[in-house]
Amino acid sequence: MKKYIIANWKANKLPEDVTQWLASFKKQLNENSRIQELITSEAVELIICPSFPYLMLVSKELDGIKGVSVGAQTIASIEHGSFTGEVTAEQIAKMATHVIIGHSERRTFFHENEEAIQKKTVLANQLSLQSILCIRGAEDTIYPGVSMVAFEPVAAIGSGQNMPVDQVIAEKKTFSNLSAETPFLYGGSVTPESARSYLSTNEINGLLIGSASLQAESFLAIAAAA
Ligand code: PGA
């Protein structure tokens, strides 16, 4: 199965940082024949998830690069209408192909509950957005129709304490409603040094990267480990 390497920039970067990241990313991509081969042969797909204000710019800049896609970090749980501040699936679908749903930071800091997360997965499906559903463990529901599942143990996120690969594989076995066809990703303090241990297994089909995606260089070093 293909490997997915996802950059989750979270609430980071000013416009000038985004421009600089994109320039550095494109330059390194051009110079690195190994990564080019991985993405053009569809062995690896890179998905870049910036904050909402940069989606259009990032989409335009990366348009036409095979094997590189753009995603949002969340969507509204309502279709459209009088909901000040919300950004809907149909709006996102005009500028991106993917969306992260149910990240633990949204569950914790913005009180997203299972009902909202389920609605988001349905809306993403209706708009043909590929959904990347984040789960913290077996307590979180895996909804039908999600495009991929990212297992992100809360203690591993941003802590430098990545969960060892054997443990990730053992945890995967406890996710009873995870179908064999659904790509299964790991996320939580992955670095260029630790990426290979996950990507060399058949059980783990990709990585969701936070801190190490903020520099194009370390993000691409992770991709090169695929
Ligand atoms: P991290 O974040 O790589 O900084 O731990 C991962 C995530 O929260 O998606």
Side-chain angles (χ1 to χ4, degrees):
M1 201 189 271
K2 191 190 233 187
K3 302 283 187 189
Y4 298 87
I5 313 292
I6 305 177
N8 177 13
W9 289 352
K10 307 190 181 186
N12 292 297
K13 296 198 182 296
L14 295 174
E16 54 270 33
D17 306 321
V18 175
T19 310
Q20 193 255 324
W21 191 99
L22 288 167
S24 158
F25 177 79
K26 288 202 268 188
K27 180 172 183 288
Q28 290 177 62
L29 211 54
N30 274 334
E31 290 168 358
N32 192 322
S33 55
R34 163 146 174 83
I35 296 179
Q36 267 188 40
E37 192 192 308
L38 286 171
I39 61 174
T40 53
S41 67
E42 297 185 18
V44 170
E45 180 172 350
L46 307 178
I47 305 164
I48 318 301
C49 303
S51 310
F52 289 140
Y54 310 129
L55 273 174
M56 196 65 115
L57 169 72
V58 174
S59 290
K60 276 193 179 144
E61 287 286 325
L62 301 179
D63 189 34
I65 307 181
K66 196 170 172 229
V68 180
S69 309
V70 177
Q73 297 172 14
T74 185
I75 43 168
S77 59
I78 43 78
E79 241 170 290
H80 52 237
S82 302
F83 301 99
T84 302
E86 290 300 294
V87 180
T88 65
E90 65 185 359
Q91 292 171 325
I92 295 300
K94 296 284 178 192
M95 355 184 168
T97 49
H98 291 72
V99 62
I100 298 172
I101 295 177
H103 191 284
S104 64
E105 288 155 9
R106 300 217 51 88
R107 295 178 193 251
T108 304
F109 303 126
F110 303 98
H111 314 295
E112 265 183 27
N113 58 24
E114 287 292 349
E115 190 192 348
I117 291 166
Q118 181 181 18
K119 281 188 188 157
K120 291 176 188 213
T121 65
V122 170
L123 288 165
N125 267 343
Q126 282 171 1
L127 274 301
S128 301
L129 277 171
Q130 308 263 315
S131 47
I132 304 153
L133 177 70
C134 296
I135 58 165
R136 299 163 296 183
E139 71 272 26
D140 292 333
T141 308
I142 298 174
Y143 296 99
V146 297
S147 309
M148 53 189 107
V149 168
F151 169 46
E152 296 209 306
V154 173
I157 296 177
S159 62
Q161 306 290 315
N162 58 306
M163 184 179 272
V165 63
D166 295 353
Q167 207 179 329
V168 173
I169 293 171
E171 292 276 348
K172 182 184 176 185
K173 297 195 177 107
T174 70
F175 305 146
S176 49
N177 53 350
L178 177 70
S179 83
E181 297 78 50
T182 308
F184 174 79
L185 284 63
Y186 167 74
S189 296
V190 176
T191 60
E193 293 71 37
S194 62
R196 192 180 297 274
S197 67
Y198 302 100
L199 295 172
S200 60
T201 67
N202 287 330
E203 289 89 345
I204 300 172
N205 314 111
L207 297 168
L208 181 50
I209 313 293
S211 319
S213 75
L214 294 176
Q215 301 298 328
E217 192 175 12
S218 49
F219 180 64
L220 285 170
I222 290 171

